[in-house]
């Protein structure tokens, strides 16, 4: 944990037509952090995640990953940089024409580094990491339940041994039990693999259980980046509503009971 | 090489006597740059060697899998390994070899099963197609009894989409086919001095046969595939289920407007395309045989009985009905994955064109004594 920024956003400006979503947004995420990005609907959380991945380009400002500009260097450098992070999309985004095992093996096969037997063992390993059975490798994505899709997609995101994991609404659509299990899973992976994690979430339970820091996106910028306790002290109408509304209070009291 | 990340060290192994010393990063990122060399070195390592992990900076599951396979799936003598690195290898050990690939051999029985499966598949298609046809008829009866429920807006939108918007492309293709047909015929007719028969050939050929079939092929590719894809994506996104949940008939609201619109629009498209194809034919005849437009228009009704136009237009209506029905049939069979969408869209276009040509042959036999000058 040497405090090196993995993700560094400087002066990000995003516009959709005449709608200004981000205006001079700054954010630094250091190695080993689990940062939860929270904000109201339409405040541009997912858009910010897409800027980090490089799927969209902000109208202004700079995105730096691992200390390098997102679009710096040759194509080779850019691809190598992209292989250092894994993304879990909101709907999983598993390739529906491929089985779960093929989905997980796909990025490794593209890289062309593993033999057939190694590939099979790696798929079994990634499945075990996300608490799935080897036999699940033969299922098609259409045959999976919501929780299984998330886990299979997480296994695929882990295929290239990423240093940075980006999760878009990892627990949306899961029942409380499943979502708690998924949170435990991510936390244990974070501990074992030393990942840096950025997640977008609406769920106070998830972020209370998982995040080491909370980045609050409001008023078109990050108004606070701090651990939960300090975030709760910040006097901002959104934070007050989000954490200290009825649901938020319940979630926080559950967390305090558990600790 | 591999030095882009701060502090990244290339993976190295040094063999000295009975000991293999590993240094650097044994991670996917670091290894993929030097993989061939590392694999060769691993293969050359002595079987009973002692493995020194003392200088390994980082080890991830890819590096661990690589080592595990090099070790022949069992632990060798290992020294200096950190606890978390040992755990990584233990995890590989725990899951290695558990994923057994499913081998499939294709034998004689499989061939029979495949054939039987294809036949049963054809049967289910036929049954579902007839059921859809019947449902459409029931819907029409329902609409005749409840005239206020006609989905007029959808029908009109579909007529615009499949009819009006298809006009430029059918005109272009029709014109060029007319030119080519006329040019080739004119070359032959000139030899026999039978120039004026160009009007008979173009008139009969285009109005009765070529116009409807040409438009059908274009429309099947253009609108049929679009209908299948649209219904298919609506299946994938559960929009069709949402309609059903609201108690709205999917055939009434989705299938019927498409089928009716194409049945209405196709004869008009056939008329339009045949006209443009005749124009193209005349242009070519004018260049090649110096035939005037006035003569062409005057002669056309005298050598081509009007029955041919009726046959052409009714073919258009029937083909349009079939194309739309086939497109909707396959669209409703799409399962929620991309592969199924592509399979069904392909099947829709291929079946529609095959069906059109089959039915065209039936038409040719059924109308063999109508409208042909003897």
């Amino acid at each position: 944990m040497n405090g090196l920024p993995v993700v560094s956003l400087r002066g990000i400006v995003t516009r959709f037509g005449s709608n200004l979503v981000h205006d001079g947004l700054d954010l630094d995420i250091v190695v080993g952090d689990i940062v939860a990005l929270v904000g109201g609907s339409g405040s541009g959380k997912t858009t910010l995640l897409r800027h980090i991945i490089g799927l969209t380009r902000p109208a202004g400002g700079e995105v730096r990953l691992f200390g390098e500009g997102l679009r710096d260097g040759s194509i080779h450098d850019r691809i190598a940089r992209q292989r250092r992070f894994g993304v879990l999309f909101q709907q999983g985004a598993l390739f529906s024409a491929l089985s779960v095992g093929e989905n997980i093996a796909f990025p490794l096969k593209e890289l062309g580094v593993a033999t057939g037997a190694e590939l099979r063992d790696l798929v079994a390993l990634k499945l075990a990491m996300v608490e799935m059975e080897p036999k699940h490798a033969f299922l098609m994505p259409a045959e999976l339940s919501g929780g299984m899709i998330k886990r299979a997609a997480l296994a695929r995101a882990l295929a290239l041994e990423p240093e940075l994991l980006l999760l878009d609404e990892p627990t949306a659509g899961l029942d409380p039990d499943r979502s708690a299990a998924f949170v435990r899973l991510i936390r244990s992976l974070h501990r074992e693999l030393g990942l840096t994690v950025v997640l977008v979430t609406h769920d106070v339970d998830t972020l209370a259980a998982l995040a080491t820091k909370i980045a609050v996106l409001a008023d078109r910028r990050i108004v606070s980046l701090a651990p939960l306790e300090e975030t709760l002290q910040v006097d901002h109408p959104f934070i007050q509503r989000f954490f200290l509304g009825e649901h938020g209070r319940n979630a926080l009291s559950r967390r305090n009971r558990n600790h | 090489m591999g030095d882009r990340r701060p502090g990244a060290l290339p993976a190295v192994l040094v063999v000295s006597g009975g000991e293999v010393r590993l240094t650097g990063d044994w991670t996917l990122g670091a290894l993929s740059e030097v993989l061939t060399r590392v694999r060769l070195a691993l293969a050359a390592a002595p079987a009973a060697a002692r493995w020194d992990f003392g200088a390994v900076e980082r080890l991830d599951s890819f590096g661990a899998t690589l080592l595990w396979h090099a070790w022949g799936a069992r632990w060798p003598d290992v020294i200096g390994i950190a606890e978390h690195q040992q755990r990584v290898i233990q995890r590989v050990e725990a899951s290695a070899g558990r994923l057994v690939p499913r081998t499939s051999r294709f034998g004689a029985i499989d061939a029979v099963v495949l054939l039987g499966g294809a036949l049963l598949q054809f049967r289910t298609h036929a049954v579902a197609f007839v059921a859809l046809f019947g449902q459409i008829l029931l819907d029409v009866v329902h609409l005749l009894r409840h005239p206020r429920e006609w989905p007029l807006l959808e029908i009109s939108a579909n007529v615009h989409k499949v009819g009006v918007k298809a006009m430029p492309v059918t005109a272009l293709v029709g014109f060029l086919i007319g030119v080519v047909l006329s040019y080739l015929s004119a070359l032959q007719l000139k030899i026999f001095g039978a120039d004026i028969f160009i009007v008979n050939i173009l008139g009969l050929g285009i109005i009765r046969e070529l116009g409807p079939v040409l438009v059908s092929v274009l429309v099947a590719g253009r609108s049929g595939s679009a209908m299948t894809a649209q219904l298919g994506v609506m299946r994938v996104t559960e929009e069709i289920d949402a309609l059903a949940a609201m108690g709205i008939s999917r055939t009434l609201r989705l299938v019927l407007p498409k089928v009716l619109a194409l049945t209405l629009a196709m004869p008009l498209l056939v008329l339009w395309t045949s006209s443009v194809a005749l124009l193209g034919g005349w242009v070519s005849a004018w260049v090649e045989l110096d035939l005037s437009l006035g003569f062409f228009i005057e002669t056309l009704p005298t050598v081509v009985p009007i029955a041919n136009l009726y046959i052409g237009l009714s073919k258009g209506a029937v083909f349009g009905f079939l194309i739309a029905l086939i497109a909707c049939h396959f669209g409703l069979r799409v399962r929620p994955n991309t592969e199924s969408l592509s399979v069904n869209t392909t099947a829709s276009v291929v079946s529609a064109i095959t069906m059109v040509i089959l039915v065209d042959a039936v038409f040719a036999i059924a109308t063999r004594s109508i409208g042909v000058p003897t």
Side-chain angles (χ1 to χ4, degrees):
Chain A
M1 316 292 159
N2 49 10
L4 189 79
V6 177
V7 180
S8 162
L9 306 177
R10 283 283 166 275
I12 299 293
V13 178
T14 309
R15 246 187 233 100
F16 290 131
S18 60
N19 183 13
L20 193 62
V21 181
H22 306 131
D23 187 12
L25 179 151
D26 295 338
L27 177 64
D28 278 311
I29 293 166
V30 293
V31 168
D33 265 353
I34 303 183
V35 175
L37 195 57
V38 299
S41 290
S43 61
K45 301 182 297 289
T46 299
T47 309
L48 203 58
L49 206 61
R50 291 170 72 86
H51 287 335
I52 296 174
I53 303 165
L55 292 176
T56 50
R57 202 171 185 165
E62 198 192 13
V63 180
R64 295 177 78 81
L65 279 187
F66 311 106
E68 301 160 11
L70 195 57
R71 288 165 214 280
D72 281 0
S74 63
I75 289 179
H76 179 81
D77 291 343
R78 254 181 275 170
I79 292 173
R81 200 175 303 128
Q82 275 176 338
R83 287 185 176 144
R84 293 174 64 182
F85 60 79
V87 186
L88 173 64
F89 287 95
Q90 194 168 351
Q91 312 290 340
L94 291 172
F95 303 124
S96 58
L98 303 179
S99 70
V100 169
E102 288 166 334
N103 259 291
I104 298 169
F106 184 80
L108 284 164
K109 259 190 205 160
E110 274 303 285
L111 209 57
V113 288
T115 63
E118 286 168 359
L119 214 51
R120 276 197 299 280
D121 285 354
L122 280 167
V123 169
L125 177 65
K126 305 287 161 185
L127 282 172
M129 275 185 183
V130 298
E131 294 163 8
M132 286 170 83
E133 302 282 318
K135 65 170 190 259
H136 292 143
F138 301 104
L139 293 177
M140 297 303 283
E143 299 170 297
L144 301 180
S145 66
M148 295 254 274
I149 287 178
K150 296 264 185 190
R151 280 186 280 162
L154 182 62
R156 187 181 67 178
L158 293 172
L160 292 185
E161 319 283 349
E163 297 154 57
L164 170 66
L165 195 58
L166 300 152
L167 314 171
D168 191 2
E169 301 274 1
T171 54
L174 300 183
D175 63 44
D177 208 27
R178 286 278 168 79
S179 103
F182 200 75
V183 164
R184 273 199 302 279
L185 176 65
I186 292 172
R187 205 160 45 179
S188 71
L189 288 174
H190 168 255
R191 204 173 43 233
E192 286 175 25
L193 307 179
L195 298 171
T196 307
V197 182
V198 180
L199 68 147
V200 167
T201 186
H202 279 298
D203 184 17
V204 183
D205 280 315
T206 304
L207 70 90
L210 198 57
T212 58
K213 277 186 193 159
I214 292 163
V216 181
L217 183 57
D219 306 335
R220 299 174 188 148
R221 59 188 70 204
I222 301 291
V223 294
S224 153
L225 173 65
L228 182 61
E229 282 72 19
E230 289 171 37
T231 306
L232 293 176
Q233 308 301 319
V234 177
D235 186 27
H236 188 279
F238 174 78
I239 296 176
Q240 299 303 315
R241 266 203 317 279
F242 190 84
F243 292 100
L244 303 176
E246 194 185 343
H247 181 77
R249 271 206 311 274
N250 288 344
L252 294 178
S253 66
R254 270 200 295 280
R255 174 178 185 260
N256 291 336
R257 269 206 309 279
N258 292 343
H259 277 237
Chain B
M1 291 234 308
D3 286 338
R4 278 188 307 281
R5 82 192 56 187
L9 300 164
V12 175
L13 80 177
V14 183
V15 182
S16 59
E19 193 170 283
V20 182
R21 191 175 152 74
L22 307 176
T23 60
D25 279 348
W26 285 73
T27 58
L28 178 62
L31 280 169
S32 57
E33 314 252 341
V34 291
L35 195 63
T36 337
R37 197 154 52 76
V38 169
R39 274 191 197 281
L40 283 174
L42 280 173
R50 192 152 62 143
W51 295 71
D52 182 2
F53 275 73
V56 173
E57 293 289 326
R58 285 191 288 180
L59 177 71
D60 67 8
S61 52
F62 178 77
T65 307
L66 199 65
L67 288 171
W68 188 251
H69 279 259
W71 292 339
R74 57 187 171 78
W75 281 94
D77 237 359
V78 169
I79 55 166
I81 191 165
E83 195 192 335
H84 64 275
Q85 292 173 349
Q86 190 166 8
R87 256 206 317 275
V88 174
I89 303 179
Q90 277 164 351
R91 260 208 310 266
V92 172
E93 181 185 11
S95 55
R98 289 190 60 203
L99 187 70
V100 185
R102 288 181 184 174
T103 50
S104 55
R105 281 211 190 80
F106 193 81
I109 294 177
D110 295 307
V112 177
V113 169
L114 209 64
L115 180 68
L119 287 175
L120 288 176
Q121 179 81 0
F122 182 76
R123 187 175 159 273
T124 49
H125 270 293
V127 169
F129 186 76
V130 171
L132 187 64
F133 182 54
Q135 186 61 47
I136 294 274
L137 290 184
L138 289 178
D139 284 341
V140 169
V141 171
H142 173 84
L143 287 177
L144 288 176
R145 286 164 61 188
H146 305 86
R148 279 156 47 94
E149 288 181 27
W150 278 96
L152 291 176
L153 200 65
E154 282 96 332
I155 295 177
S156 121
N158 272 303
V159 167
H160 178 74
K161 204 160 66 179
V162 299
V164 179
K165 286 191 165 177
M167 283 171 74
V169 66
T170 53
L172 178 69
V173 174
F175 187 84
L176 293 177
I177 292 280
V179 167
V180 172
L181 186 68
S182 172
Y183 175 72
L184 291 176
S185 312
L187 287 183
Q188 301 297 313
L189 291 173
K190 257 203 290 200
I191 299 171
F192 298 103
D195 293 11
I196 58 160
F197 281 105
I198 190 80
V199 186
N200 304 39
I201 292 179
L202 289 180
L204 264 181
I206 289 174
I207 293 174
R208 187 183 172 112
E209 196 59 45
L210 212 53
V213 172
L214 194 66
V215 175
S216 299
V217 171
L218 286 174
V219 165
R222 185 187 174 279
S223 309
S225 61
M227 287 175 184
T228 308
Q230 191 193 9
L231 287 178
V233 173
M234 288 181 81
R235 284 269 299 174
V236 174
T237 55
E238 298 183 318
E239 287 172 57
I240 290 181
D241 298 339
L243 268 184
M246 293 176 202
I248 296 169
S249 156
R250 61 185 192 183
T251 51
L252 194 74
R253 200 51 73 88
L254 292 176
V255 179
L256 188 75
K258 290 181 170 53
V259 173
L260 279 186
L262 202 55
T263 314
L264 289 175
M266 272 285 281
L268 301 174
L269 268 183
V270 169
L271 190 67
W272 159 254
T273 310
S274 297
S275 314
V276 178
L278 284 174
L279 182 72
W282 167 73
V283 168
S284 193
W286 174 59
V287 171
E288 210 43 44
L289 306 170
D290 204 18
L291 207 70
S292 80
L293 183 59
F295 176 79
F296 191 87
I297 291 176
E298 247 169 54
T299 322
L300 197 58
T302 61
V303 297
V304 182
I306 192 73
N308 287 292
L309 183 64
Y310 300 147
I311 292 175
L313 295 184
S314 39
K315 269 188 189 177
V318 172
F319 293 169
F321 178 80
L322 285 173
I323 291 169
L325 202 62
I326 289 173
C328 291
H329 164 77
F330 282 104
L332 292 173
R333 294 179 69 89
V334 171
R335 280 191 301 277
N337 65 67
T338 50
E339 188 62 33
S340 171
L341 187 63
S342 88
V343 165
N344 278 289
T345 311
T346 311
S348 157
V349 174
V350 172
S351 318
I353 292 176
T354 313
M355 190 64 136
V356 161
I357 288 170
L358 275 177
V359 173
D360 189 53
V362 174
F363 257 101
I365 297 165
T367 60
R368 64 188 180 281
S369 54
I370 306 169
V372 187
T374 45

